[in-house]
Amino acid sequence: MVSPAPPTFPDWRIDSIMIRAFLPTALLTGLVSVAHAQGVMYEVTVLEPAPGFTGTSVRAINEQGTFVGNSVGPNPDDPDSNRFRGLLDRPRALTELAPLPGHVSSATTDVLRNQFAVGISSDADFRPVPTYWLPSGAPRALPLLEGHTTGNVQGANGLGLLVGASGDQPVLWRPDERAYRLPVPDGQTGGTAFAINDAGVIVGQAISPAGAVAMIIRNGEASVFNNGIGLLTDINSSGIVTGALSPGLITPLFYDVESDALAVAPLPVGAFAGALNGLNDDGIAVGFSLGAALGAYITDGTTATDLNTLLDPQT
């Protein structure tokens, strides 16, 4: 398995939208519009692309409201491909995250409480290496397992532990910046760790010649989730996991690691399929739904709101 490259985007302009839930006494800067849904107030902020790029995507947000995303644009050295540039956004302070020296592309995947961003930096052949950025925007490479030349960081917890992949093996980086190989379930040969909570529970994907399965790593042991049917994307401090069930129609899910309880998450009105990509410690999850069109949505496990309904058409 080759470490995944950053996602590709269409050639037309994409202005990514970050939507934060907040209390009236905790208004954030950069307000574009405010909308209400199920009694919750939302702030909508447009993340503009870095100079020379044409679109953006938002990847993650931390407890302080700092979020990371990525700009995308044509690669001047290869018209048939795109280049990426990581972004770190704090109130009134957007920082462009440059790739490592000698590299041409960067992409973020998560942001820590101390405003360190993590992700990948890629050379001209788009071979990614795991990278973190200081709050100043300076990049630092993370080590790989011996014999590996590519890798990625996918997630981080509040204690500074990072997870991802080195080559085709799931790994964990501790604050000493050493890479530690993670276990995989019996019968699996490798994989990628996607997320880790403060209790050290990890969710990810394991691989074998037969294909890929969702996995959970807990107390140093790895197990296959739901007999291999599904995808796990994130986990919060309470051990609640987000993802999707498959095959068939993709169905968004919540899973409680402690109780082994699996629940189907609600979808917005008119949607017939979808998946959850992440959640916070309050149990609020975000993802996408499929209906008349592809759309982002937010859910608390009981209700689901299409985020498109929160946007002001005038903006």
Side-chain angles (χ1 to χ4, degrees):
M1 175 181 175
V2 177
S3 298
T8 57
F9 297 87
D11 289 335
W12 58 81
R13 179 183 175 85
I14 306 169
D15 283 332
S16 190
I17 307 295
M18 168 56 71
I19 299 184
R20 301 181 177 99
F22 60 91
L23 298 174
T25 56
L27 296 176
L28 300 176
T29 59
L31 186 66
V32 172
S33 63
V34 174
H36 295 263
Q38 287 122 24
V40 180
M41 184 181 289
Y42 292 90
E43 174 194 7
V44 182
T45 302
V46 177
L47 179 61
E48 295 291 347
F53 292 79
T54 57
T56 56
S57 66
V58 174
R59 183 60 189 256
I61 186 171
N62 68 9
E63 294 85 344
Q64 290 77 39
T66 296
F67 62 87
V68 291
N70 301 299
S71 288
V72 61
N75 180 5
D77 298 322
D78 182 359
D80 295 328
S81 67
N82 288 324
R83 61 184 179 130
F84 298 84
R85 185 59 44 85
L87 300 171
L88 174 72
D89 188 274
R90 292 160 288 194
R92 299 183 182 179
L94 180 64
T95 303
E96 186 176 336
L97 302 178
L100 293 165
H103 283 194
V104 300
S105 189
S106 63
T108 60
T109 54
D110 207 350
V111 58
L112 285 71
R113 292 172 186 165
N114 59 9
Q115 299 187 355
F116 279 60
V118 298
I120 62 170
S121 176
S122 302
D123 63 15
D125 293 323
F126 290 97
R127 292 174 295 197
V129 297
T131 305
Y132 71 92
W133 287 265
L134 302 174
S136 65
R140 298 286 188 272
L142 286 165
L144 297 163
L145 297 175
E146 185 176 357
H148 293 171
T149 58
T150 62
N152 60 81
V153 185
Q154 292 291 331
N157 71 6
L159 304 177
L161 300 179
L162 313 178
V163 294
S166 174
D168 61 355
Q169 297 299 309
V171 294
L172 176 144
W173 288 272
R174 299 177 190 243
D176 62 8
E177 298 188 13
R178 291 178 58 191
Y180 297 83
R181 190 188 304 267
L182 292 169
V184 296
D186 291 342
Q188 307 300 308
T189 58
T192 300
F194 293 149
I196 178 172
N197 68 5
D198 287 358
V201 182
I202 298 169
V203 297
Q205 183 181 68
I207 58 169
S208 72
V213 296
M215 69 172 174
I216 298 175
I217 303 174
R218 188 182 186 194
N219 297 326
E221 297 184 357
S223 59
V224 173
F225 168 74
N226 197 38
N227 296 315
I229 301 174
L231 171 71
L232 303 180
T233 56
D234 201 3
I235 181 170
N236 70 8
S237 61
S238 300
I240 305 301
V241 179
T242 52
L245 291 172
S246 61
L249 288 177
I250 305 172
T251 304
L253 69 83
F254 286 106
Y255 173 68
D256 189 330
V257 172
E258 293 296 331
S259 65
D260 192 33
L262 178 64
V264 173
L267 286 164
V269 174
F272 59 83
L276 296 179
N277 297 328
L279 80 166
N280 64 13
D281 285 344
D282 294 324
I284 307 300
V286 292
F288 69 89
S289 62
L290 297 171
L294 175 68
Y297 84 101
I298 188 169
T299 178
D300 60 3
T302 302
T303 59
T305 301
D306 182 344
L307 293 182
N308 290 313
T309 64
L310 305 181
L311 301 179
D312 183 350
Q314 300 303 315
T315 63

